[in-house]
Amino acid sequence: MGRGKLRIYLGAAPGVGKTYSMLSEAHRRLERGTDVVVAFVEHHDRPRTEVLLHGLEELGRRRLSHRGTAFTEMDVDAVLARRPAVALVDELAHTNVPGSRNEKRWQDVEELLEAGIDVISTVNIQHLESLGDVVESITGVRQRETVPDEVVRRADQIELVDMSPQALRRRMAHGNIYASEKVDAALSNYFRPGNLTALRELALLWVADRVDEYLQQYRAEHSIRSTWQARERIVVGLTGGPEGKTLLRRAARMAAKGSGSEVLAVYIARSDGLTGASPKELAVQRTLVEDLGGSFHHVIGDDVPSALLEFARGVNATQIVLGSSRRKAWQYVFGPGVGATVARDSGPDLDVHIVTHDEVAKGRGLPVARGARLSRSRVLAGWLTGVLGPVLLTLFLYNLENGPGLANDVLLFLFLTVAAALLGGLLAALASAAVGSVLLNFYFTPPTHSITIADPQNIVAIAIFFAVGVAVASVVDLAARRTHQAARLRAEAEILSFLAGSVLRGETTLNALLERVRETFAMDAVSLLERESDVEPWTCAGSVGEAAAPRRPEDADVDMPVSDHMALALSGRKLPAEDRRVLGAFAAQAAVVLDRQRLVGEAARARELAEGNRIRTALLAAVSHDLRTPLAGIKAAVTSLRSDDVAWSEEDEAELLAGIEDGADRLDHLVGNLLDMSRLQTGTVTPLIRDTDLDEVVPMALGGVPEGSVCLDIPEALPFVAVDPGLLERCVANLVENAVKYSPNGAPVTVAASALGERVEVRVVDRGPGVPDSAKDRIFEPFQRYGDAPRGAGVGLGLAVSRGFAEAMGGTLAAEDTPGGGLTMVLTLRAAAGHPPVSPGLPARATT
């Protein structure tokens, strides 16, 4: 009997409907006459899921006892004895109770599959073993129950069960997933919109990779080599010319016609060091392609068509977009051009689009700097013309009955020497002159067939021939050298112009500049190093490229000193000496950019000091009334008590004393907030961080609110937090007082805490009117009081002080909506080292 087939319903998160989909599939198969049994399904008291179990045969479970508690697990022996065609097994990643047949449920499923039984199961994306660290970093919860990725990948069918985060949170709020008493905790912790969105993306990407694997496997099994256009990837070949923007926009319009299409712009640079295009134009085109949603790639390759095709096939591209050639008509004698070559060699799996533009046939201009003055093909042609050409000419002339004469013979050989000089340069022309001289002497100068010359005039003719050949070759070589120098100077001028423009505009950041250095000189990594003195170690001010960027000048392939204590270090290859002049300009600019960044930082600090002065001035102007009000009340009460004209009863005296105490408390609270705000603005808050138990601090922060107005929920198992206890107490006290102020009568404020990975959250939940999303950040600004705050409620500093204290301790403070109405303040703190975090109290199993 063959192995059974495994079908898995993969969920993006708990509650999306995996078990519901599995039971629906079971009913469909049952209607078709398939023998289906329920080996193990948990409905978790969900009515709709429980209804689908009706009509399906359920096998008995095995009962086990562990540490005095009874558990039930799937009875593998009962399923094997029943031998159904299809078995439903929920929660594939489940860990069995000790004493079970296997440690993991997926191992039970493997036994059923080996016995020839088809299995339908469920699993959530967060339970895949390879994603454990990723899920923990997103949600703060470490999944203890996992299943190896290979088990899920081997499934014959994988069906993604998906739901938008908003819809899933609505299901949660309606009580369709967890019990009502656990809904608030779940929505506030694991089921946050950000968490659900990230898990959804993980599931989609994982399933997409699985589909790609299946597609590659299918193509390999069927020997399919061509590209299947399941997803459009459009490669745009850039030359650095002005037509690049036209090509990019045309490719973007092509990509917009198909969902999921991708645009990849690539510039092929030769391996001679300097790029062959205007750096300014390439920078503009790079920005454009990124604005259009594509990506820019810089590739090194001397053979442009081959490098372009290799890149396109490497990224599994389906289309290539190139511009019509800018060469003039006569320049086609040197070859068909890049576009024609790519179209010829692309094959049937790549579509090549040649796009017209305004620069067609206007000429490409002088070539930019090259490492060699003449190309390999031109040098080879020169040597063939200079060496093989005279031999062929000799055979032709020697077989003529009546030759043209020695003078004409010399002119024909001279023509070949000039042609060799034009094509191959000096060495090829010298070789041609030497070979031609020998052949003229041996075959055409009397006496023939000997290396002697009888007539002195013939000696002069051959000498002039050799001299003319050498002179022409020297002129051609000098012209090539001057052309090379002019091209290099042009490229250097363009690069220096780009640097000067960036200085004037102030646009280039240090990393962007270092990236430009890396691309311009085709390096692997670039670092800007500095040190305080000659004896201090080098420190890295910025680096780009591979992880192993040079950390000392002596470790780099190329180092360019900027000053006595600063150097630019490059790794990847040795740089020609002629390129160091441009590199020096880059190094000087890097030092300027670094200084500018530091000046910007100092300016920002100066602005902070100015802002602090402005805040202090505003404090004095804004609190004059709020300071006078409690002082006036206290003075009036004291004056009344000291008056001899009135005989106060004990009740009246008690009321006046209570007013004095209340005014003093309000005054103390106001002055405390003013001092705290002043300390925050001037940066003089220095928290003394130590490991602290929330049970020691949070209850002390509730002293300023009426008794019974706050419900406290701080679990004993929470880890310690790394905070300043005094700052934390003031922070929580302000949050609680603000929540109590806006909560309606009879609706106590809830102060709860929970652990999320390496973080601990304190949530202050009220049932007041709430705050719209547009005002959630504004309420943390100084002197802000949202809505119709009661008179005497303060000047609006409490939340600003709380956020300032939270950030000073390395935490965060944010506002969220309370499910059912109200506002929740979320204070996130760092868990103390050495105190392991505890997962939040969510149900151990969360499936539909």
Side-chain angles (χ1 to χ4, degrees):
M1 180 177 294
R3 177 182 170 87
K5 295 184 179 298
L6 176 60
R7 177 170 182 168
I8 293 179
Y9 286 93
L10 178 66
V16 294
K18 301 178 303 300
T19 306
Y20 191 92
S21 299
M22 178 180 68
L23 293 175
S24 299
E25 174 65 18
H27 279 283
R28 285 192 292 269
R29 297 199 182 195
L30 189 63
E31 292 173 358
R32 296 196 297 263
T34 306
D35 183 16
V36 181
V37 301
V38 177
F40 189 95
V41 169
E42 285 283 1
H43 56 75
H44 298 290
D45 297 326
R46 298 167 189 164
R48 295 185 179 181
T49 305
E50 188 175 4
V51 167
L52 284 180
L53 286 171
H54 299 164
L56 296 176
E57 179 184 352
E58 294 189 62
L59 298 181
R61 301 184 182 183
R62 184 181 179 188
R63 296 187 175 275
L64 298 169
S65 178
H66 179 63
R67 295 180 179 178
T69 305
F71 297 91
T72 60
E73 296 287 359
M74 181 175 67
D75 193 338
V76 180
D77 293 328
V79 180
L80 293 175
R82 172 64 174 76
R83 297 195 64 82
V86 179
L88 307 183
V89 182
D90 207 1
E91 300 177 2
L92 185 64
H94 171 72
T95 301
N96 293 328
V97 175
S100 301
R101 183 188 188 98
N102 296 299
E103 180 183 357
K104 292 284 191 176
R105 184 164 293 164
W106 65 263
Q107 296 171 327
D108 296 337
V109 169
E110 284 293 320
E111 285 196 38
L112 301 182
L113 294 173
E114 291 296 333
I117 301 174
D118 293 346
V119 176
I120 303 178
S121 188
T122 64
V123 70
N124 282 326
I125 191 68
Q126 67 265 26
H127 292 298
L128 294 181
E129 200 167 76
S130 66
L131 300 178
D133 295 338
V134 179
V135 173
E136 183 180 10
S137 66
I138 294 171
T139 64
V141 179
R142 182 67 181 184
Q143 300 295 331
R144 296 184 177 88
E145 294 186 331
T146 59
V147 58
D149 288 46
E150 186 60 28
V151 174
V152 183
R153 288 183 182 274
R154 286 201 308 264
D156 299 275
Q157 296 183 56
I158 299 177
E159 183 170 335
L160 178 65
V161 183
D162 188 23
M163 181 178 291
S164 69
Q166 294 78 10
L168 185 56
R169 284 173 59 85
R170 283 196 299 268
R171 290 192 63 191
M172 175 70 72
H174 294 159
N176 295 332
I177 300 177
Y178 293 147
S180 58
E181 65 272 11
K182 298 178 180 179
V183 169
D184 285 346
L187 288 174
S188 301
N189 294 295
Y190 195 89
F191 286 82
R192 296 179 178 180
N195 292 358
L196 297 178
T197 302
L199 292 174
R200 189 185 193 193
E201 183 177 10
L202 278 179
L204 291 171
L205 292 175
W206 195 92
V207 173
D209 290 341
R210 177 67 177 87
V211 173
D212 282 342
E213 290 176 6
Y214 175 76
L215 182 59
Q216 295 297 334
Q217 179 183 355
Y218 180 85
R219 293 178 61 197
E221 292 175 352
H222 294 78
S223 301
I224 300 172
R225 303 301 179 190
S226 61
T227 301
W228 282 9
Q229 299 182 2
R231 180 183 181 184
E232 292 289 351
R233 286 186 176 92
I234 304 173
V235 170
V236 183
L238 300 178
T239 64
E243 78 282 359
K245 294 187 285 293
T246 301
L247 303 184
L248 291 173
R249 293 189 179 99
R250 181 71 179 92
R253 290 196 298 271
M254 295 167 58
K257 296 178 180 179
S259 178
S261 298
E262 184 179 1
V263 176
L264 301 92
V266 57
Y267 171 70
I268 309 294
R270 299 183 183 274
S271 59
D272 51 18
L274 289 173
T275 61
S278 166
K280 179 181 179 181
E281 193 67 37
L282 275 181
V284 171
Q285 295 173 13
R286 181 173 194 159
T287 303
L288 176 60
V289 70
E290 292 173 352
D291 291 342
L292 293 173
S295 57
F296 183 89
H297 303 268
H298 192 103
V299 177
I300 305 299
D302 291 319
D303 189 347
V304 175
S306 298
L308 181 60
L309 288 171
E310 182 179 354
F311 173 82
R313 292 194 172 98
V315 298
N316 196 27
T318 57
Q319 301 182 57
I320 298 178
V321 175
L322 299 173
S324 297
S325 178
R326 287 185 283 129
R327 297 193 298 175
K328 295 183 179 297
W330 63 267
Q331 292 178 308
Y332 282 97
V333 300
F334 299 109
V338 174
T341 306
V342 171
R344 181 192 64 201
D345 299 338
S346 62
D349 55 336
L350 276 172
D351 296 336
V352 180
H353 302 267
I354 305 297
V355 179
T356 59
H357 49 84
D358 295 336
E359 304 296 324
V360 174
K362 290 187 177 180
R364 303 185 61 178
L366 293 175
V368 293
R370 303 280 182 86
R373 290 185 293 273
L374 300 173
S375 64
R376 291 193 187 96
S377 59
R378 186 170 171 180
V379 172
L380 179 60
W383 278 92
L384 291 176
T385 302
V387 177
L388 187 59
V391 175
L392 296 177
L393 180 61
T394 299
L395 292 176
F396 174 74
L397 295 176
Y398 189 75
N399 291 324
L400 291 178
E401 293 183 1
N402 296 318
L406 180 61
N408 292 326
D409 292 341
V410 171
L411 291 177
L412 291 174
F413 277 94
L414 180 61
F415 172 78
L416 291 178
T417 301
V418 173
L422 292 173
L423 292 174
L426 180 62
L427 294 180
L430 292 177
S432 177
V435 173
S437 300
V438 172
L439 293 176
L440 281 171
N441 186 4
F442 191 82
Y443 286 102
F444 303 105
T445 305
T448 59
H449 301 97
S450 65
I451 308 298
T452 58
I453 301 175
D455 190 348
Q457 294 182 356
N458 295 336
I459 296 177
V460 174
I462 293 177
I464 292 175
F465 159 73
F466 188 83
V468 170
V470 172
V472 171
S474 300
V475 170
V476 172
D477 183 71
L478 180 62
R481 187 181 299 112
R482 292 290 185 265
T483 302
H484 166 72
Q485 293 173 354
R488 172 168 290 277
L489 291 175
R490 175 188 172 192
E492 292 179 0
E494 290 176 342
I495 294 174
L496 295 176
S497 174
F498 167 78
L499 288 177
S502 66
V503 172
L504 295 175
R505 294 187 301 270
E507 296 174 353
T508 303
T509 63
L510 181 59
N511 283 344
L513 181 64
L514 296 180
E515 182 64 26
R516 170 63 61 182
V517 174
R518 190 186 69 82
E519 290 189 355
T520 300
F521 297 96
M523 290 293 183
D524 294 333
V526 180
S527 299
L528 181 63
L529 307 176
E530 62 176 350
R531 59 181 177 180
E532 296 295 333
S533 63
D534 294 337
V535 297
E536 294 293 330
W538 291 95
T539 59
C540 182
S543 65
V544 295
E546 59 186 18
R551 290 295 183 262
R552 298 184 304 170
E554 51 267 29
D555 297 336
D557 294 320
V558 179
D559 69 283
M560 172 60 65
V562 181
S563 62
D564 293 340
H565 301 133
M566 184 177 291
L568 191 66
L570 300 86
S571 65
R573 67 185 182 93
K574 297 297 182 182
L575 199 64
E578 55 190 0
D579 287 344
R580 294 182 67 88
R581 179 172 54 186
V582 178
L583 182 60
F586 273 108
Q589 175 64 8
V592 171
V593 170
L594 182 61
D595 289 341
R596 182 189 299 121
Q597 288 184 353
R598 289 173 175 170
L599 289 174
V600 169
E602 293 177 1
R605 287 190 290 272
R607 284 194 298 271
E608 290 177 359
L609 293 175
E611 180 68 14
N613 291 330
R614 188 190 67 81
I615 288 291
R616 283 194 294 272
T617 303
L619 284 174
L620 295 177
V623 304
S624 59
H625 177 270
D626 293 272
L627 282 172
R628 287 177 178 177
T629 300
L631 285 175
I634 294 173
K635 181 174 178 57
V638 172
T639 302
S640 299
L641 288 175
R642 296 187 60 188
S643 175
D644 297 332
D645 300 337
V646 181
W648 300 103
S649 65
E650 294 184 0
E651 291 80 3
D652 293 335
E653 290 182 356
E655 184 177 352
L656 290 173
L657 290 174
I660 294 173
E661 184 178 15
D662 180 65
D665 291 339
R666 287 172 53 193
L667 191 60
D668 178 70
H669 182 73
L670 178 60
V671 171
N673 277 337
L674 292 176
L675 293 175
D676 291 338
M677 197 67 215
S678 178
R679 292 167 59 203
L680 288 171
Q681 292 296 330
T682 56
T684 57
V685 176
T686 305
L688 301 176
I689 304 297
R690 65 179 179 87
D691 296 354
T692 305
D693 190 350
L694 287 179
D695 277 338
E696 300 176 359
V697 178
V698 176
M700 298 173 60
L702 308 182
V705 297
E707 187 175 353
S709 61
V710 177
C711 178
L712 195 60
D713 181 15
I714 307 295
E716 295 181 358
L718 281 179
F720 284 16
V721 290
V723 296
D724 182 315
L727 296 185
L728 178 60
E729 181 182 347
R730 292 297 304 274
C731 179
V732 175
N734 283 342
L735 295 178
V736 172
E737 290 176 7
N738 187 76
V740 171
K741 185 190 309 177
Y742 288 98
S743 288
N745 294 331
V749 172
T750 301
V751 179
S754 60
L756 292 171
E758 298 179 354
R759 309 187 305 273
V760 175
E761 288 188 349
V762 178
R763 309 178 73 85
V764 181
V765 183
D766 67 59
R767 298 291 178 177
V771 175
D773 293 339
S774 60
K776 281 189 172 61
D777 285 333
R778 195 167 65 248
I779 61 176
F780 291 103
E781 297 177 2
F783 311 111
Q784 295 293 324
R785 292 187 295 175
Y786 179 76
D788 52 347
R791 293 184 59 85
V795 293
L797 289 176
L799 295 183
V801 169
S802 294
R803 171 173 276 190
F805 283 170
E807 293 176 349
M809 295 183 292
T812 60
L813 178 62
E816 296 180 358
D817 291 330
T818 301
L823 189 67
T824 298
M825 291 292 176
V826 183
L827 174 62
T828 304
L829 306 170
R830 291 181 292 112
H835 298 273
V838 181
S839 299
L842 296 179
R845 299 172 181 171
T847 59
T848 54

